[in-house]
Amino acid sequence: MNTIKNAQVAIVTGASRGIGAAVAQRLAKDGFAVAVNYASSSTEADALVAELTAAGTKAIAVKADVANADDVRRMFEITEQQLGKVDVLVNNAGVLKTLPLADTSDALYDQTFGINVRGTFNTLREAAARMNNGGRIVNFSSTTLALNMPGYAIYNGTKAAVEAFTHVFAKELRGRDITVNAVAPGPIATSLFLDGKTEEQIQTFAKMPPLQRLGQPDDIASVVSFLAGPDAGWVNGQVLRANGGVA
Ligand code: NAP
């Protein structure tokens, strides 16, 4: 928790809905000024910013496609101008479409790697030049990487890359006192997970963890809050698998 409210600044990518929105709400409660990034859901992003602002948080909505390096540069510039230099970067934006590898189009491959991998690369590269020393970076992997389920080859490939970036980048930031970690959620009840699944498929996933339920966005927001906060200062270069015990 910041002692002075909004003294520190967080960017949360893909924060218009789902896990990212819960993370933005939680970091606002923790005292951060928050930049709510989105690609197309401007109504949801604006509504979230209005909610955070009404609760006394400095918050802005920033439209930027994380897959586009110029957009990401602009996102950092706008955040710096309106909120201040960035202390926390949460690389939450991501997409998932499950399909057997053999049926995956070039376009779907490019889109998934573009957002999940290049998007993370773009923000990390910008963060290296612009973040305050002492900051925190939280990337997003997925527990699907440990499950090797059919249909997840491309998505898991992107998350494997994100985990690799996390381990190496933590070392490349030596001397800056910036930690770089990743959270790897199990199934969380958001549109990314729910869309296109039958009720039966959803229930199968819900029964997988020994805790016998789907995760909720707040389950992950709590983990991000920990990794972004003072108590996680000695956790660096790690992947935290928050999944109710699935794997
Ligand atoms: P979601 O509900 O589909 O939300 C995705 C968010 O990402 C939206 O705010 C979306 O904004 C944004 N986004 C998509 N493409 C973007 C782009 N090119 N640039 C900027 N923002 C973009 O997904 P979620 O379930 O919250 O997932 C969040 C993260 O958790 C992802 O990295 C995902 O891989 C990971 N994860 C999720 C689960 C799960 O079960 N839900 C499990 C493991 C890991 P727009 O609508 O404006 O595009």
Side-chain angles (χ1 to χ4, degrees):
M1 173 101 57
N2 288 319
T3 43
I4 305 166
K5 195 168 165 80
N6 296 167
Q8 289 193 310
V9 175
I11 291 179
V12 184
T13 68
S16 53
R17 54 196 168 81
I19 296 169
V23 168
Q25 284 166 325
R26 178 59 194 261
L27 293 183
K29 269 199 194 128
D30 290 350
F32 290 95
V34 181
V36 171
N37 161 251
Y38 68 97
S40 58
S41 302
S42 61
T43 308
E44 289 91 334
D46 288 343
L48 177 58
V49 165
E51 176 196 316
L52 299 181
T53 306
T57 292
K58 273 199 227 163
I60 55 170
V62 189
K63 181 178 165 72
D65 174 358
V66 293
N68 180 305
D70 289 338
D71 277 18
V72 168
R73 249 189 305 277
R74 206 176 41 82
M75 174 174 75
F76 272 80
E77 279 164 15
I78 290 170
T79 304
E80 279 172 13
Q81 284 159 11
Q82 298 195 25
L83 300 179
K85 222 172 153 185
V86 175
D87 299 286
V88 170
L89 167 66
V90 182
N91 269 318
N92 162 84
V95 288
L96 161 68
K97 182 139 200 229
T98 52
L99 262 188
L101 184 148
D103 299 335
T104 299
S105 66
D106 292 348
L108 180 59
Y109 178 96
D110 288 346
Q111 187 208 28
T112 311
F113 270 84
I115 296 172
N116 296 6
V117 182
R118 185 176 283 279
T120 301
F121 161 67
N122 282 337
T123 57
L124 293 182
R125 186 173 53 181
E126 210 56 32
R130 307 180 87 124
M131 264 178 73
N132 276 323
N133 289 351
R136 301 288 163 83
I137 297 174
V138 182
N139 294 326
F140 265 70
S141 180
S142 171
T143 283
T144 57
L145 188 50
L147 299 176
N148 295 314
M149 293 179 292
Y152 284 80
I154 307 306
Y155 180 72
N156 286 358
T158 68
K159 296 305 189 182
V162 168
E163 291 197 11
F165 291 178
T166 301
H167 298 305
V168 174
F169 200 52
K171 293 185 177 173
E172 291 180 351
L173 291 180
R174 173 179 291 273
R176 300 278 306 278
D177 200 21
I178 296 174
T179 64
V180 187
N181 293 291
V183 57
I188 305 293
T190 67
S191 57
L192 177 140
F193 167 76
L194 297 168
D195 288 357
K197 290 194 178 70
T198 63
E199 188 52 34
E200 198 187 344
Q201 287 171 323
I202 291 168
Q203 286 315 315
T204 304
F205 275 98
K207 288 189 188 114
M208 281 167 73
L211 300 184
Q212 291 187 298
R213 65 171 176 84
L214 287 180
Q216 295 299 320
D218 282 345
D219 291 319
I220 303 307
S222 309
V223 176
V224 175
S225 167
F226 166 67
L227 291 173
D231 288 344
W234 197 234
V235 182
N236 193 16
Q238 304 301 312
V239 179
L240 207 165
R241 302 193 186 281
N243 56 32
V246 168

